[in-house]
Amino acid sequence: MTTSTPVPEQRQTDVPVDSPDATVETVETVETPADPPIPTGHDMPRAVSMLVFLRDRGIFLLWILLVVVFAFWCAPYFFTVSNALLVANAAALTAIFAAGVGIGVMTGVLDLSLPGTAAIAACVCGWLLKHGTPTWLALVAGLACGVVVGIANGLITIRGFNPIIVTIGSLSVLTGLAAVVAGGYTFPGLTQLTFMGTARYFNVPAPVYIVAVVFLVGTVFLTRTREGIRLMAVGGNAEAVRRSGIHSDRYKVLGFVISGLLGALGGLVTTAVVSEANPGASPAIIFTALTAVALAGVALTGGRGSLPRVLVGALILATISNGLTIRGVQPYWATVTTGLLLLGSLLLERIIQSSVSNRLMATANLSVHQKRV
């Protein structure tokens, strides 16, 4: 068979059956003019990659846009180093709790007991400090409370109970236990924790350093270690992980433990900032943390998310509150704006996800059913 460029059209000529050469096929090659380029779907991946980039990096663009808008609207007070440190410090507490919620969600569970975990950790630490316990030991005891709560939540959940119901029950129990430890009062004057609360190092507030360490270690753990990658896999499809021979329940418990540990850390940092351990579990903690996680585009079904995006989500909340405060806008408008941003981000996530799915399906169809010449 002979070929030529452009791609030849092949015509098969059959030999009569009664011919001696009946078993031989001859192929006649006839050149035809080249047809116009036919869409093959090769341009689609670029559009898909842009949509995926917008989905995964859109929150960074949103934060930059907010900073630019407030820099002009709140000039000259907003775009300064001192105000940037205020924003970072204000975002620190939200970021710690959001990291706990985010890692739990990535693992496939939603831990709503974080306010109670923070309260019991703070009260245990405060009680120990008031009774002369060394500061480091009181802090370790407070963090241990978070680990114990995480193990308890995890072990109950893997028995087949709904994690949301379990953690709501834990929230109630922990709030009551914190009140019991504190005797219904607070532990004021905890100046031993100033070093991790109101202290500044190189003019940067101490909580900012704590957040930097938490997110750096957490990101490396989730993306560069075997245990972290398996943790994310369990959040995406626990049954598939189990069938591959991995003990998925163990990683679910690990997700609860990490979430509880970060909740306890958030409670201790809050205590250090205000120099007081309060047994009251504020529901605002879980609300702001969930908002930051949702803004970050973390899939509530688990298996997909990014801690750096969660950090930017916390910074967005702090930036909005700070900018509106500088302009003298009532604080409740910050709540309204945050809610609108949250709804907008969920709608955008849905639109982008549908668009990506449709384009990928179109690409596959064009590739499979591509016209041959």
Side-chain angles (χ1 to χ4, degrees):
M1 181 178 66
T2 60
T3 58
S4 59
T5 305
V7 179
E9 177 182 353
Q10 295 182 347
R11 297 177 182 175
Q12 180 174 314
T13 305
D14 296 331
V15 180
V17 176
D18 58 354
S19 171
D21 300 326
T23 58
V24 179
E25 292 184 349
T26 61
V27 178
E28 177 186 359
T29 301
V30 180
E31 293 187 3
T32 57
D35 290 335
I38 297 176
T40 62
H42 295 300
D43 293 333
M44 292 298 184
R46 179 175 299 179
V48 171
S49 63
M50 290 297 295
L51 288 171
V52 172
F53 174 84
L54 182 61
R55 183 192 67 187
D56 294 340
R57 300 290 182 265
I59 189 169
F60 296 96
L61 300 178
L62 174 61
W63 185 41
I64 293 173
L65 177 62
L66 285 173
V67 170
V68 172
V69 169
F70 282 123
F72 285 97
W73 192 37
C74 304
Y77 307 106
F78 181 83
F79 203 69
T80 61
V81 174
S82 60
N83 191 61
L85 292 175
L86 287 176
V87 171
N89 194 38
L93 291 176
T94 298
I96 294 174
F97 288 111
V101 173
I103 291 179
V105 169
M106 293 176 204
T107 315
V109 298
L110 178 58
D111 189 353
L112 298 179
S113 67
L114 290 188
T117 305
I120 190 66
C123 288
V124 167
C125 179
W127 187 90
L128 291 174
L129 289 176
K130 286 297 185 180
H131 288 77
T133 306
T135 302
W136 69 269
L137 185 56
L139 290 174
V140 170
L143 294 175
C145 290
V147 173
V148 171
V149 171
I151 292 174
N153 285 336
L155 291 178
I156 295 173
T157 300
I158 62 175
R159 300 298 178 185
F161 295 95
N162 188 307
I164 295 180
I165 303 301
V166 171
T167 53
I168 289 177
S170 298
L171 172 61
S172 178
V173 171
L174 293 171
T175 303
L177 289 177
V180 170
V181 172
Y185 297 95
T186 62
F187 295 106
L190 301 179
T191 56
Q192 301 95 321
L193 301 180
T194 301
F195 73 97
M196 58 182 291
T198 56
R200 286 177 173 252
Y201 305 95
F202 303 103
N203 202 35
V204 177
V208 176
Y209 289 101
I210 297 174
V211 168
V213 172
V214 166
F215 277 82
L216 178 61
V217 172
T219 301
V220 171
F221 172 73
L222 291 177
T223 60
R224 294 292 184 268
T225 66
R226 184 183 65 177
E227 300 301 314
I229 293 172
R230 287 181 174 181
L231 195 68
M232 294 285 286
V234 168
N237 192 330
E239 182 61 22
V241 171
R242 186 188 64 81
R243 291 184 178 182
S244 67
I246 299 174
H247 200 307
S248 59
D249 285 346
R250 180 170 58 191
Y251 288 94
K252 286 184 179 180
V253 175
L254 177 60
F256 271 113
V257 169
I258 295 174
S259 182
L261 181 63
L262 291 174
L265 178 61
L268 295 176
V269 174
T270 302
T271 300
V273 170
V274 300
S275 299
E276 180 180 85
N278 193 328
S282 172
I285 292 175
I286 199 67
F287 171 75
T288 53
L290 277 172
T291 303
V293 169
L295 282 176
V298 176
L300 296 182
T301 53
R304 180 169 61 85
S306 165
L307 278 184
R309 295 208 306 264
V310 172
L311 177 59
V312 175
L315 287 170
I316 286 176
L317 299 181
T319 300
I320 292 174
S321 178
N322 178 268
L324 294 181
T325 299
I326 291 176
R327 287 295 301 179
V329 179
Q330 293 296 331
Y332 50 76
W333 283 110
T335 305
V336 172
T337 305
T338 300
L340 291 175
L341 274 178
L342 177 57
L343 294 175
S345 68
L346 294 176
L347 178 61
L348 183 62
E349 168 79 9
R350 173 62 62 87
I351 293 173
I352 291 177
Q353 195 66 27
S354 299
S355 229
V356 168
S357 300
N358 292 336
R359 288 178 181 272
L360 286 176
M361 291 180 64
T363 300
N365 289 335
L366 286 173
S367 298
V368 172
H369 302 291
Q370 176 182 349
K371 180 180 177 181
R372 302 294 181 182
V373 295

